[in-house]
Amino acid sequence: MKRAQYLIFILFVLYLINVTFDRIKGGERSILWSDGEGFYDYLPGLFIIKDYHKLPPGSIAPYFLGTSYPYNNSNGEFVNKFTCGVSYFEMPFFGIGYLISKIKGVDPASYFSPIYCKAIAFGGILITLLGLLILYKTLLNSGDVLKKNSAFWTILSVFFGTNLFHYATKEMGMSHVYSFFLFSLLIFILPKFFKKPNFLNSIAFGAIFGWIVLIRPTNFILILLVLLFNVYSKQDIIERMKFFKQHWMNIFPILFAGFVMVFPQLLYWKKMGGSWIFYSYADEGFKYWNKPKIMAVLFDVQNGLLLYSPMVILMLIGIFYGLKNKKFHSPAMLLIFILATYIFASWWAWWFGGAFGHRSYVEYYAILAIPLAGLIQKVFSSPKPIVRISFQFLLILLMVYSVRLSYLYSSIGGPWDGADWRWNWDKYEWIMSYFLKIF
């Protein structure tokens, strides 16, 4: 980057930090609420209470008062149903919150204080920015996406044009921005792994993939990206099989690194649940596996993906453009998108609770950015200025739509889940009256 570009990036970072702290001002506790509290609870349990057997459900704000649901073992002890992968990211920022509390004379044991919440919020936006930087570098290094202009517009579109913006600036206690970072890191390292499958690259790949699965086990489907990376034909599949056969010894460092990432969770399950493998979600499951709510996941007013993040439509167009031209890992992208959609549509709460848009897709934007970048570069290469300008206007329009909808969602009030949540079509005038107001 040139010096001016570094300055622009620094200003962009400062702007987003300011936006983040402005959005959470007065409601800092919402950062560590619901799922966010579950991911976070591992840290006070380990470093402050120092005994998971004594971790109260919800601590200062009990779970029964709205922040999540209690799960107890046979001894009546609270068992965290969420996994600990997000807490790995939050640990250094938890430490910062602890030190600031000490300096300000605030009891460090008040681990849901605004100080801790702000520290976690800062960590969330920082991790998101790092994920975007890695993704930008991946696009520039891609043989399909060479122009900085296309990569720059792609990053803007992914961040401002989807619900990634919402989860990076408002609900960064959830898992999605951290998984977005890991997805970006995986797509960055995969070319290096296939080009030079040595011990270090294998360790890095195994650790990243293990971390991804630890945070959300269903994201294991990303293994398809590994198997089908740059695969477009039967001959490519044969070559990929030859690669894994030739480098079969690499499976050991990959599995070892993945196991290291997952092992703390296994210890927790053994300690609190009595088994190394423990299904902590109790009666929650994939009740719609034989009748998946696919159309609802994509189009329903209750978090429908394409209604809240229509930028995804351009990502899908990019996939089909890539299929035609054998680019952008499109077969893998399409298969992953279809399988992910089926999984989400099979879950008992296919809308995934109180969420802005369908939040489970947020991390997948890191890989869907590649076909989107291909589409953007294709249009930007048009010799007709009207085509280029119109497409840029469309991208900006979709970004404004997504950001404005995020502010609308977080400023008007709930309930944002349950039978009374839905923005039915008879509320259209009400929605538009708020939507068109200035922030």
Side-chain angles (χ1 to χ4, degrees):
M1 282 186 180
K2 297 179 180 179
R3 190 172 299 177
Q5 290 174 316
Y6 276 117
L7 178 60
I8 292 173
F9 177 72
I10 291 172
L11 292 175
F12 179 67
V13 171
L14 293 176
Y15 162 75
L16 286 181
I17 291 174
N18 180 65
V19 167
T20 297
F21 283 97
D22 181 65
R23 295 196 75 185
I24 66 172
K25 187 177 181 180
E28 292 87 351
R29 180 66 175 90
S30 64
I31 301 301
L32 301 176
W33 190 263
S34 188
D35 297 26
E37 180 174 329
F39 300 129
Y40 173 80
D41 272 345
Y42 288 96
L43 298 174
L46 179 63
F47 295 108
I48 294 181
I49 299 174
K50 298 180 180 181
D51 187 350
Y52 287 124
H53 292 284
K54 297 179 181 179
L55 185 66
S59 304
I60 294 175
Y63 275 62
F64 288 111
L65 295 184
T67 183
S68 193
Y69 299 95
Y71 287 81
N72 301 304
N73 60 19
S74 57
N75 296 322
E77 299 166 332
F78 165 67
V79 179
N80 196 338
K81 75 173 184 176
F82 303 100
T83 56
C84 64
V86 171
S87 67
Y88 296 174
F89 282 105
E90 294 178 336
M91 193 179 304
F93 304 102
F94 176 83
I96 291 172
Y98 184 91
L99 291 176
I100 293 176
S101 297
K102 283 264 190 181
I103 293 170
K104 289 193 170 185
V106 177
D107 183 7
S110 298
Y111 45 83
F112 288 116
S113 71
I115 293 175
Y116 280 104
C117 294
K118 288 179 180 178
I120 298 301
F122 176 76
I125 189 63
L126 181 61
I127 294 299
T128 305
L129 288 167
L130 289 175
L132 290 170
L133 269 178
I134 293 170
L135 182 57
Y136 179 75
K137 190 171 182 60
T138 299
L139 295 176
L140 291 181
N141 291 341
S142 171
D144 296 320
V145 180
L146 301 176
K147 296 181 180 179
K148 290 185 178 180
N149 190 39
S150 300
F152 173 74
W153 275 91
T154 301
I155 295 301
L156 287 181
S157 299
V158 167
F159 183 71
F160 290 107
T162 70
N163 50 344
L164 173 61
F165 173 82
H166 181 86
Y167 284 95
T169 62
K170 181 63 177 176
E171 296 187 47
M172 61 292 290
M174 303 293 280
S175 67
H176 308 294
V177 296
Y178 306 102
S179 290
F180 175 85
F181 169 85
L182 290 173
F183 274 46
S184 298
L185 199 56
L186 181 67
I187 198 69
F188 174 77
I189 199 173
L190 274 181
K192 301 178 184 297
F193 173 75
F194 284 117
K195 184 177 181 179
K196 195 174 183 180
N198 55 27
F199 178 79
L200 289 179
N201 285 337
S202 298
I203 287 289
F205 165 65
I208 295 167
F209 195 82
W211 203 347
I212 286 173
V213 175
L214 172 61
I215 291 178
R216 188 176 287 271
T218 54
N219 283 342
F220 182 81
I221 64 173
L222 214 61
I223 193 67
L224 293 172
L225 181 61
V226 180
L227 299 175
L228 300 178
F229 190 82
N230 267 338
V231 169
Y232 304 100
S233 65
K234 182 179 179 180
Q235 184 58 39
D236 290 337
I237 295 176
I238 294 173
E239 291 300 320
R240 182 54 44 81
M241 293 174 64
K242 287 181 179 178
F243 173 87
F244 285 117
K245 183 177 181 180
Q246 181 181 355
H247 302 284
W248 66 272
M249 287 293 291
N250 293 78
I251 191 66
F252 296 107
I254 290 173
L255 290 176
F256 173 77
F259 179 76
V260 168
M261 298 303 295
V262 174
F263 186 63
Q265 186 65 53
L266 302 181
L267 280 178
Y268 176 82
W269 283 338
K270 180 64 175 176
K271 184 182 182 68
M272 299 302 299
S275 175
W276 291 103
I277 303 296
F278 178 74
Y279 188 73
S280 57
Y281 280 74
D283 57 347
E284 298 179 54
F286 298 92
K287 64 181 287 186
Y288 296 116
W289 66 270
N290 59 339
K291 292 183 179 179
K293 306 291 185 178
I294 293 174
M295 295 303 291
V297 165
L298 296 178
F299 299 106
D300 197 276
V301 292
Q302 188 168 355
N303 295 339
L305 171 67
L306 301 181
L307 289 182
Y308 286 82
S309 298
M311 186 70 72
V312 176
I313 296 173
L314 298 183
M315 295 176 177
L316 296 175
I317 293 174
I319 288 178
F320 287 104
Y321 169 68
L323 287 173
K324 181 180 178 181
N325 296 277
K326 296 185 177 180
K327 292 181 177 180
F328 320 132
H329 323 294
S330 295
M333 299 290 183
L334 181 59
L335 190 57
I336 289 171
F337 181 83
I338 292 173
L339 190 54
T341 300
Y342 171 76
I343 291 172
F344 304 151
S346 299
W347 186 244
W348 72 274
W350 52 263
W351 63 96
F352 278 74
F356 174 69
H358 210 290
R359 59 186 176 87
S360 294
Y361 285 95
V362 169
E363 47 262 49
Y364 288 87
Y365 302 148
I367 62 173
L368 293 174
I370 294 179
L372 175 63
L375 177 66
I376 289 175
Q377 178 159 297
K378 174 64 177 177
V379 178
F380 282 8
S381 300
S382 172
K384 298 179 180 180
I386 186 63
V387 173
R388 300 194 301 270
I389 294 172
S390 298
F391 192 68
Q392 288 176 338
F393 179 76
L394 173 63
L395 293 177
I396 293 172
L397 187 64
L398 292 177
M399 289 185 232
V400 172
Y401 171 84
S402 180
V403 171
R404 186 66 193 100
L405 206 59
S406 171
Y407 274 88
L408 176 62
Y409 170 87
S410 59
S411 63
I412 294 180
W416 298 119
D417 195 9
D420 297 329
W421 176 93
R422 304 167 68 85
W423 288 2
N424 293 316
W425 295 116
D426 59 1
K427 297 180 180 179
Y428 174 79
E429 292 184 5
W430 172 80
I431 294 169
M432 293 306 297
S433 67
Y434 280 97
F435 186 85
L436 295 176
K437 287 182 180 179
I438 300 175
F439 299 159

